[in-house]
Every structure is written in structure tokens, then in C-alpha cells.
Amino acid sequence: MLYKRSSQLFAEAEKVIPGGVNSPVRAFKAVGGTPIFVKSAKGAYLYDEDGNRLIDYINSWGPMILGHAYEPVVEAVIEKAKLGTSFGMPTELETQIAALAVSMVPNIDKIRFVNSGTEACMSAVRLARGFTKKDKIIKFAGCYHGHSDSFLIQAGSGAITFGSPNSPGVTAGTAKDTLLANYNDLENVSTLIEANKNEIACIIVEPVAGNMGCIPPNKGFLEGLRQMCTENNILLIFDEVMTGFRLAAGGVQELSNVNADIVCFGKVIGGGLPVGAFAARAEIMNYLAPLGPVYQAGTLSGNPLAMAAGLAMLKALDSDRAIFERLEEKTQYLHEGIEKVLKENNIIFTINRIGSMISVHFDASPVVDFKSAAKGDNETFKKFFHGMLNEGIYIAPSAYETWFITDALSYEDLDFTIRAVEKVAKTL
Ligand SMILES: *Cc1c(COP(=O)(O)O)cnc(C)c1O
């Protein structure tokens, strides 16, 4: 496939946008080459500026669970736009989407909307600190909670006690309040809690990790976190920005039967517009301004176009819960097909899968945390990525990303993808 126009557009973008992109993961740094510029998308397909059609397994990194340009969402946005695009005043629409979200997700009474997953996680941690009157937080290596300062903390033995910034611009003062633990390692968490008695406000976790490939929690991991949090007056935050409204209508709380104290949303909840949200029981949410002392705000929060898109998306998911089973069946089909052709070609790999999330790792050992995810063979992944692209299939340009299955994918698309993997496997 040719990417002449994309390359030209990228060269122009680089002159006026740092790295030519507005979010670094788009830049192809991990795989080499230049990013593909999209012209339009519909259903399971992307159409790029060079006229290529690509089957899309990123889906805007998660939001487009029903496929691109999903009709009810597009119509809702167009209708609302005609009535004005922002007021900075309350609208009935905000209550409608809030009520629907609260009815779909277990264990939450109130929800507040923001503009991104980053904002949701950042605000949730502030709320947890204000509510518990404690400063420190525990996060897990390899879990992503957006780019606010508290979360950009590197793994490593020294960091486990004091934390050290892995991004310049994050102060040592901020870093020291973020404690790092290994995913799926309860003993590690217990040690950190013991060493920081009565100082930890919250544990924030991706209840199914999706930002180091897809890593489901081991049996008992979420239950163990819940118990430790309850015993130590620590709030448990489920960052469901990726998993919320994707793995089930009620997210991982519903799947696991483990209750979080605060839940963060993003991606699917906005139907492809910039939306995030955080939610909890009333006792905690009432701690937010204007009812309570913890400040949090946003000029464009609850924006009518974004809320219209999100409401149309949630209504579609709420009214057809079979979607989640359908997605899982498609993902399983893809998993089995890829597994078969990789095995036949003697490729060393591990596939992780849950619901509509799946990741292919080029390493033989189980991928259960950041360390094991990092063992994957990046050179093989690079070849795999470009090979797939050449076959007209777009997966994330990094070995640490999950593939997102959408309801718009047909079994013909999945078969096409499996055949492409077979062809590419012969070149690895
Ligand atoms: C994408 C993501 C975020 C950040 O959301 P943005 O909308 O990109 O700010 C936070 N947490 C998780 C788990 C995510 O996958």
C-alpha cells in the first residue's frame, strides 16, 4: 500500500505540531515509519488520505465500540449542534445521561462529567485525598491513568519506596506521594500499605489492565485489593476509562462482583466525543464543590454535543445487552483463528483476551504484569505491525496496546484478518 499523501501531510504537520501529532501514541515511534492520516471512517473501516481502506482494530483507542460514524450518535450530535454548542449552564441532557449511567453501573449514586479520562482520574484522586484527608496513592506499574502529574511515575526498585518522576516536569514532591506496585501482586500492595500506615488515600487500578497489552486480574486480585482498602480506610478507585461500558454494561464491577469506591470513565461513555466522568456513592460525591470542599470544574464539562453522543451510545448499549456477548464471541473467534495460524508457523506468542479486548505478545511466558509484558519481542512486533498494515489491517502502533473489537466487524472481516496474520506470520 502507498502512503504518499500521508507522508506529505505528516511532514507539514511536523512543522507546526510537536512530532506532528496531538497525542504521542499516534506517532509510530515504536514501529518506525510515518503515521497514516485518516480522511473518514465508517463501521469497521478507516479510509485514509491515500485512498486505502483499513480494517480498524484501534477504534479511536476504544470509544467506537459500535463502529465508526454510528448513525444514532451522528444524528444526535447534528440535531444538538443546531440548538447551540455550549452554554456554560445546566441542560436536561446532562441529567438524562447521568441517570442512565447510574442505572447501568452498580454501586454508584452520582456521577460528574469531565472532558477526558485524564481529568476523570485526576479528579477522582483529588476527591479521594480530600475525603480521606490523606496524601499518598498506590498505582500499578504499567497501568495508565492519563497524563496528570501523579500518574507519570516510573517503575523500578527505588521508585517503589519514594517514587521518581519518569517525565521531566513532574516534581519530586508530587512523585513521592505516588507509590508503585506490581499488577496482580497483592503481597507487594500489602507491604506498601504496612510501610505507609495511615498515609494512603487510595489505590487506583485498571481492574482489567489494557495499557500494557490486555491483562486480566488474577483470581482474587481485585477481591484482595477491596479487602485491604476496607481494612485500612483506603478508597479503591477502578479506572474503567477503557473497560467501562465495554466489558459489560456495568463494567468490571459487574463482571467481578467487586465494588469500587470511585469509578472513572472515558472513551465509550462519550461515543467518540471528548468525555470523561467519575462516579461514586453519594457520601463521597457530595464531598465535591459546590456541596463539599473538594474543587473540580470545567467550562466545557457536560457539553451538549458530547452528552448527546454519549447518551446515544449508552442507550444503544443499554437496550441491547446481547452486544457484549456478541463482541466476546467475535473476539474469541479472532483469538482462535490467530492462535491457529501463528502455531502453524512456529511463532512464539501469548494471546491475552477478555470480552472485546485482546492482545498478541511475542513471548512464550504468561503476560501478567508490566515486567512480563515488557519481555515481548519488539522487533517481531514491528514486522508484524507493518505486515498487517500492508494487508490493510490497522492495529495499534505499539506492542503495549490492546486491540479493540467492535460490533461493526463482520465474520468476513475477522476471516480476512486471520488470513492476513497467516501471510504475515510467514515473514516473521
Ligand atoms: C485512555 C485512558 C485514560 C486517559 O484517558 P484520556 O481520555 O486519554 O485522557 C485513563 N485511564 C485509562 C485506563 C485509559 O485507558
Side-chain angles (χ1 to χ4, degrees):
M1 286 193 179
L2 281 175
Y3 295 105
K4 195 160 165 256
R5 188 162 157 72
S6 272
S7 301
Q8 285 166 353
L9 289 172
F10 184 58
E12 283 168 37
E14 278 185 297
K15 291 180 198 158
V16 284
I17 301 172
V21 292
N22 280 311
S23 192
V25 289
R26 299 174 194 168
F28 276 35
K29 270 219 140 162
V31 291
T34 52
I36 291 158
F37 278 60
V38 182
K39 190 159 196 175
S40 68
K42 180 70 190 168
Y45 309 119
L46 295 168
Y47 300 91
D48 71 19
E49 290 282 357
D50 287 282
N52 304 304
R53 190 196 84 172
L54 300 165
I55 301 181
D56 187 11
Y57 285 97
I58 302 186
N59 289 290
S60 187
W61 306 86
M64 319 314 293
I65 190 169
L66 302 178
H68 289 285
Y70 179 67
E71 219 51 64
V73 169
V74 173
E75 274 164 28
V77 171
I78 290 172
E79 282 315 303
K80 274 293 157 196
K82 292 178 190 161
L83 303 174
T85 58
S86 183
F87 315 114
M89 294 165 73
T91 59
E92 185 182 6
L93 190 54
E94 291 160 85
T95 311
Q96 289 169 344
I97 185 173
L100 181 54
V102 166
S103 78
M104 290 171 78
V105 177
N107 188 41
I108 62 170
D109 300 319
K110 295 187 178 184
I111 184 165
R112 180 164 280 178
F113 285 90
V114 293
N115 304 296
S116 68
T118 294
E119 258 188 85
C121 296
M122 176 187 87
S123 307
V125 164
R126 184 183 305 139
L127 178 58
R129 284 172 163 154
F131 187 78
T132 60
K133 302 185 174 60
K134 296 187 279 186
D135 288 345
K136 292 188 179 173
I137 70 172
I138 293 179
K139 82 169 280 284
F140 293 90
C143 281
Y144 181 65
H145 305 295
H147 64 93
S148 91
D149 286 3
S150 301
F151 302 126
L152 291 181
I153 308 302
Q154 195 179 37
S157 55
I160 284 175
T161 337
F162 292 110
S164 68
N166 84 342
S167 169
V170 177
T171 66
T174 296
K176 82 170 176 17
D177 286 331
T178 299
L179 309 173
L180 266 172
N182 294 320
Y183 200 77
N184 276 325
D185 186 347
L186 284 175
E187 234 180 83
N188 189 191
V189 177
S190 166
T191 308
L192 287 175
I193 293 175
E194 280 309 308
N196 297 273
K197 268 276 177 224
N198 302 318
E199 291 186 274
I200 297 171
C202 61
I203 296 178
I204 184 164
V205 64
E206 288 181 62
V208 166
N211 286 288
M212 43 182 168
C214 161
I215 302 184
N218 285 347
K219 212 171 152 35
F221 179 58
L222 298 176
E223 290 81 356
L225 292 180
R226 176 66 272 170
Q227 192 184 343
M228 285 186 215
C229 284
T230 304
E231 286 170 3
N232 292 282
N233 185 30
I234 294 170
L235 296 187
L236 180 60
I237 303 178
F238 273 8
D239 177 356
E240 298 225 42
V241 169
M242 191 179 278
T243 54
F245 306 101
R246 168 168 286 280
L247 293 184
V252 182
Q253 285 194 103
E254 178 185 320
L255 286 184
S256 66
N257 269 320
V258 174
N259 285 350
D261 295 302
I262 306 178
V263 191
C264 304
F265 298 105
K267 302 196 167 107
V268 174
I269 201 173
L273 269 81
V275 180
F278 59 107
R281 54 184 189 272
E283 175 200 12
I284 297 174
M285 291 307 275
N286 291 347
Y287 227 73
L288 280 177
L291 287 181
V294 173
Y295 197 69
Q296 184 280 324
T299 300
L300 291 174
S301 293
N303 172 270
L305 301 193
M307 295 298 97
L311 182 60
M313 176 62 88
L314 295 197
K315 273 185 179 166
L317 297 174
D318 187 46
S319 63
D320 181 11
R321 300 281 176 107
I323 285 174
F324 300 102
E325 275 157 51
R326 222 154 53 222
L327 284 168
E328 179 156 19
E329 282 162 14
K330 287 179 184 178
T331 314
Q332 181 177 355
Y333 184 85
L334 185 69
H335 179 165
E336 287 166 0
I338 293 177
E339 189 168 65
K340 182 164 171 284
V341 297
L342 287 182
K343 266 192 192 149
E344 283 167 0
N345 287 280
N346 302 315
I347 306 293
I348 293 169
F349 68 98
T350 301
I351 294 179
N352 281 4
R353 168 175 65 90
I354 180 168
S356 54
M357 295 164 63
I358 179 170
S359 56
V360 180
H361 305 260
F362 292 105
D363 191 71
S365 45
V367 175
V368 296
D369 58 11
F370 184 64
K371 229 184 273 170
S372 45
K375 277 175 65 191
D377 181 346
N378 205 44
E379 287 311 307
T380 305
F381 178 79
K382 275 190 207 173
K383 272 196 237 162
F384 181 69
F385 170 83
H386 285 290
M388 292 298 281
L389 192 54
N390 206 37
E391 297 297 328
I393 289 156
Y394 195 56
I395 60 171
S398 155
Y400 290 108
E401 303 293 350
T402 299
W403 307 17
F404 298 106
I405 305 307
T406 82
D407 203 37
L409 282 161
S410 67
Y411 279 88
E412 289 74 49
D413 295 324
L414 299 174
D415 283 332
F416 184 89
T417 305
I418 294 162
R419 281 198 303 277
V421 172
E422 188 174 20
K423 275 195 221 169
V424 174
K426 295 186 194 308
T427 70
L428 295 179

